[in-house]
Each structure stands twice: as C-alpha cells, then as structure tokens.
Amino acid sequence: MITEFWLKFNNGAETLQLPVNPDTISVTSTHGYTDINVTNLGEYTVIGGGQLREYSLSSFFPRDHNTSFCAVPSLVEPYECVATIERWQRSGKPVRFIVTGTPINIAVTIRNFEYGERGGEPGDVYFTLDLKEYVFITVAKKGDNSAVSGSASVTMPKLAAARPSTRETPKSYTVKSGDSLFKIAAKVYGKGDDWRKIYEKNKKVIGANPNAIKPGQKLVIPS
C-alpha cells in the first residue's frame, strides 16, 4: 500500500494531496507542567493535562512530473498549491491532515508555512509545513447527553450563591514549633498569601526577617 499525504478543507470540499511524500514527519507530544513558588514553602509543580500534538514535515511541489518520486498521476502547478495552503491558513478554520496507512487522521491548524525555490531547480517549490492538532469545542445544554465525535463537550455549570464566611479570626496567636507566617495565615485566615498582614502588624516582635519567627512569640492577628 502506497502512503498518501492529504490536506482536506471544509469537510472535504477541497483537497490537496502532497505530490511528493515527505522523507520524514516529526511528531511532538508534550505534557503540561506549571512550577509555582509559594512564599515560605518553596517551589511546587502542578501537573497539567497533555498538550496538543504538533506535526512538522518538508517536501516540494515539482514543476514536472516524474514517476520515480511523484505520488500523484498528474500535477497541480506549484504556486497554485502554495496559494491554496495560504488561503486555508488565513481562513481561520482547521484543515484535516491524513496520512494513509497510519493513525494520523486529525483536524489541525496550519501554524507555519515556509516555501521557496532553490538554485538549479527552476519551477520546483520547496516547503516546510508545521501543523498543530485542533480540538473542536461544543457547549452542551443541561440534559443533552449527545456526544460529537472528535470534539470535546462542555456543560456550563450553574453559579451558586457564595456562602458567607463563618470563620472567626482570632485576635492573637502564639507561635508553635514548625510554624511559618504562611502557615499561620492559612490557619487564621484560610489563605496563606495573607501572611504579610501579620508580618506588618508584628515587625517589632519578629524583626527584619519574616522567616525568623520563634516558638513562644505572641503575634497580634489583624482582622
């Protein structure tokens, strides 16, 4: 079976088969990570979801047909192929990328398209094409359990009224072994990022270094 490389646009209304198969195709699959620095606690890593795959390939649009390397029976003029890809790229819509004989049959966006001629090969247009996987998003109404193939369905949640806070803030706190201002703020306010409020109120007790609190120190807790 001969492998074919296809780009299809507008649900297959327009198609373009690459006349010369790329020697290689590069696929990049990464996973998302976010590193966060938390005051007084150090650096933490939040593991995110998988990133969309990226594909990169290079080939050329030949001026003259040659059965030794052409994968199509007849050729489209090279710059007509270039104009088609550029028009699809500017359309703001995804295209479908298909490599027959492989699992690659996905919607993609055209992220980069570079092309040009080389000396000694007049009329042949060499190109590099960078594609990125595209995911269709549909917003489902509540109670609608229908699924769309190849798309993600998102149900919009109802916003509940915020509950009033019942947390009572103490007026003072005695430092214990292993405490930090961040941990104390998390205990008394429910949010460690408010540690600066405690430090500003107790600078005379703590000193110039907010990390130098000592067990037994009595700190005033501002409301």
Side-chain angles (χ1 to χ4, degrees):
M1 178 179 180
I2 299 176
T3 300
E4 299 175 352
F5 288 72
W6 288 88
L7 294 172
K8 298 188 177 184
F9 183 69
N10 194 22
N11 292 323
E14 297 181 68
T15 64
L16 174 64
Q17 182 183 355
L18 300 188
V20 179
N21 287 351
D23 290 333
T24 60
I25 176 171
S26 173
V27 183
T28 302
S29 179
T30 59
H31 202 85
Y33 297 91
T34 302
D35 294 324
I36 300 174
N37 278 298
V38 180
T39 306
N40 291 352
L41 290 181
E43 186 177 67
Y44 287 82
T45 297
V46 178
I47 301 176
Q51 305 297 302
L52 299 177
R53 292 183 180 88
E54 298 181 16
Y55 301 84
S56 182
L57 54 97
S58 298
S59 186
F60 71 101
F61 298 119
R63 182 191 66 179
D64 302 316
H65 191 275
N66 187 321
T67 55
S68 65
F69 54 75
C70 286
V72 294
S74 61
L75 295 176
V76 178
E77 199 277 327
Y79 280 102
E80 184 178 337
C81 295
V82 167
T84 296
I85 293 177
E86 287 189 322
R87 175 168 54 82
W88 292 350
Q89 184 182 31
R90 291 193 297 267
S91 72
K93 298 178 181 179
V95 301
R96 183 158 290 277
F97 177 46
I98 300 172
V99 182
T100 61
T102 78
I104 300 176
N105 184 340
I106 60 170
V108 296
T109 52
I110 300 173
R111 294 304 179 98
N112 185 55
F113 178 46
E114 297 181 17
Y115 59 88
E117 296 189 34
R118 297 179 180 177
E121 301 176 66
D124 292 346
V125 178
Y126 286 79
F127 68 89
T128 296
L129 197 59
D130 295 323
L131 311 170
K132 187 166 185 176
E133 185 179 3
Y134 180 84
V135 176
F136 294 93
I137 301 295
T138 57
V139 179
K141 295 180 181 179
K142 186 176 181 180
D144 182 5
N145 295 321
S146 61
V148 180
S149 177
S151 67
S153 181
V154 180
T155 301
M156 301 302 290
K158 290 185 177 180
L159 297 178
R163 292 183 179 181
S165 175
T166 58
R167 181 187 297 273
E168 292 186 7
T169 303
K171 294 183 179 180
S172 64
Y173 181 89
T174 301
V175 179
K176 300 177 180 61
S177 178
D179 272 342
S180 67
L181 291 181
F182 186 92
K183 291 181 180 179
I184 295 171
K187 289 178 183 178
V188 300
Y189 296 128
K191 188 167 65 171
D193 287 340
D194 284 344
W195 67 269
R196 292 178 181 83
K197 291 168 58 176
I198 301 174
Y199 176 62
E200 292 298 327
K201 190 69 174 179
N202 296 276
K203 272 187 177 181
K204 291 183 180 180
V205 176
I206 298 171
N209 185 357
N211 294 317
I213 61 174
K214 299 178 179 62
Q217 286 178 326
K218 189 172 183 178
L219 305 180
V220 176
I221 305 299
S223 57

